[in-house]
Amino acid sequence: MNEKKERIFTGKNRMFHILVCDDEVPTCSFIEQAILKYGKKKKLEIETECCYTAKGLLQYIKENRDLDILFLDIELPDKNGAEVGRIIRDELKIESVQIVFISSQEKYAMRLFQVRPFDFLIKPLSNENIIQIFEKYRKLYENDHKFFEYTLGRHDEKTLLSEIMYFKCDYRKILMVTNEKKVSYYGSMKSLHKSLQVPEFWSVHNSYIVNIRYVKQFKESEIIMTDNTVIPISQAYKSIVKKKTMELSLNEDVI
């Protein structure tokens, strides 16, 4: 059988959708104007919305799940922002939106790691810090809109890399698990380990490659995914995974 190798290619850009949630109207306006002004300068299509309560935010996000970035105040009057983040991740099952927490205190940073935040903004805010976060997201967006192409039967298929949770060796096939479906196609796991050179995808076992954006918890010998799938870390990869995990926890650019 002639197997066609997988490949990665970039898709087209689209409009950026940004939501700001803070009970202080001036803070919402400051972030919104900073981004819109920058977008106009760079000729980017950006759509922004503001809300001022956790209740309003959750209602909005249930109806508008295509958000790119959520700037979320931790000290909301009706519900703690950390709890809102947990609801978004664990109850609404939304992983695609990148959450940037806003606070006047740095102490929250480590407590929020399990919500998988994209970044933190500490008040008082500055235009420079807001734009830095937006630019960091743009770089991530470019990678998110790369497609993974593979052959299924006689046809070439493609899936957004950002939607793939993990790959698993399934005898002579590769099982690709996304947040919506499972696809099994003929391929070589050995080849995939070599060809899938994307920072978010970690080889943790000869039979597994995981997207760390869907990892809920790292343990010594296993990984818990956001859908509660348990994936083993083999002895050969333990030291590599441990090193990468330590670098991830120390890195400001949390994925």
Side-chain angles (χ1 to χ4, degrees), residues 168-183:
K168 176 184 177 182
C169 180
D170 188 18
Y171 297 101
R172 295 179 59 213
K173 291 185 175 183
I174 293 174
L175 177 66
M176 179 180 70
V177 179
T178 77
N179 48 19
E180 293 184 351
K181 62 184 180 181
K182 295 182 179 180
V183 177

Side-chain angles (χ1 to χ4, degrees), residues 64-243:
N64 302 272
R65 298 174 70 96
D66 63 340
L67 284 175
D68 292 297
I69 307 176
L70 167 61
F71 289 91
L72 176 58
D73 183 22
I74 293 178
E75 296 95 3
L76 291 171
D78 55 336
K79 193 181 291 289
N80 182 274
E83 174 62 13
V84 175
R86 187 198 65 77
I87 292 172
I88 291 171
R89 296 295 192 228
D90 297 341
E91 296 183 21
L92 299 181
K93 305 296 184 183
I94 299 175
E95 292 289 338
S96 57
V97 62
Q98 300 298 331
I99 300 175
V100 178
F101 283 107
I102 307 167
S103 177
S104 58
Q105 303 179 58
E106 296 184 20
K107 66 179 182 180
Y108 289 104
M110 291 308 296
R111 287 173 51 195
L112 296 169
F113 186 76
Q114 287 192 333
V115 180
R116 299 173 290 286
F118 182 65
D119 213 322
F120 303 90
L121 277 175
I122 305 299
K123 296 178 181 179
L125 307 181
S126 71
N127 278 282
E128 181 181 1
N129 289 340
I130 293 168
I131 298 310
Q132 283 178 349
I133 287 174
F134 181 73
E135 276 301 304
K136 185 171 76 169
Y137 176 78
R138 282 186 67 196
K139 293 178 182 178
L140 177 66
Y141 173 86
E142 290 175 3
N143 192 59
D144 273 356
H145 287 72
K146 289 181 178 178
F147 288 86
F148 178 77
E149 188 178 77
Y150 55 97
T151 302
L152 188 61
R154 298 182 179 180
H155 303 285
D156 290 338
E157 302 285 345
K158 64 177 182 290
T159 298
L160 275 169
L161 273 174
S162 60
E163 294 182 354
I164 301 173
M165 298 177 67
Y166 62 90
F167 293 94
K168 176 184 177 182
C169 180
D170 188 18
Y171 297 101
R172 295 179 59 213
K173 291 185 175 183
I174 293 174
L175 177 66
M176 179 180 70
V177 179
T178 77
N179 48 19
E180 293 184 351
K181 62 184 180 181
K182 295 182 179 180
V183 177
S184 187
Y185 67 92
Y186 284 102
S188 164
M189 200 68 181
K190 184 177 180 180
S191 174
L192 187 60
H193 278 287
K194 292 181 179 179
S195 63
L196 193 59
Q197 299 299 311
V198 180
E200 302 91 82
F201 285 85
W202 292 8
S203 295
V204 298
H205 191 286
N206 283 339
S207 297
Y208 289 93
I209 299 175
V210 302
N211 184 342
I212 61 168
R213 291 179 62 191
Y214 292 94
V215 172
K216 183 162 63 175
Q217 186 178 5
F218 289 98
K219 294 187 176 182
E220 184 178 353
S221 300
E222 62 188 24
I223 289 172
I224 312 297
M225 304 300 289
T226 55
D227 66 350
N228 292 319
T229 297
V230 178
I231 292 178
I233 302 173
S234 71
Q235 190 65 38
Y237 286 96
K238 273 189 179 180
S239 61
I240 298 173
V241 172
K242 184 176 181 180
K243 181 180 179 181

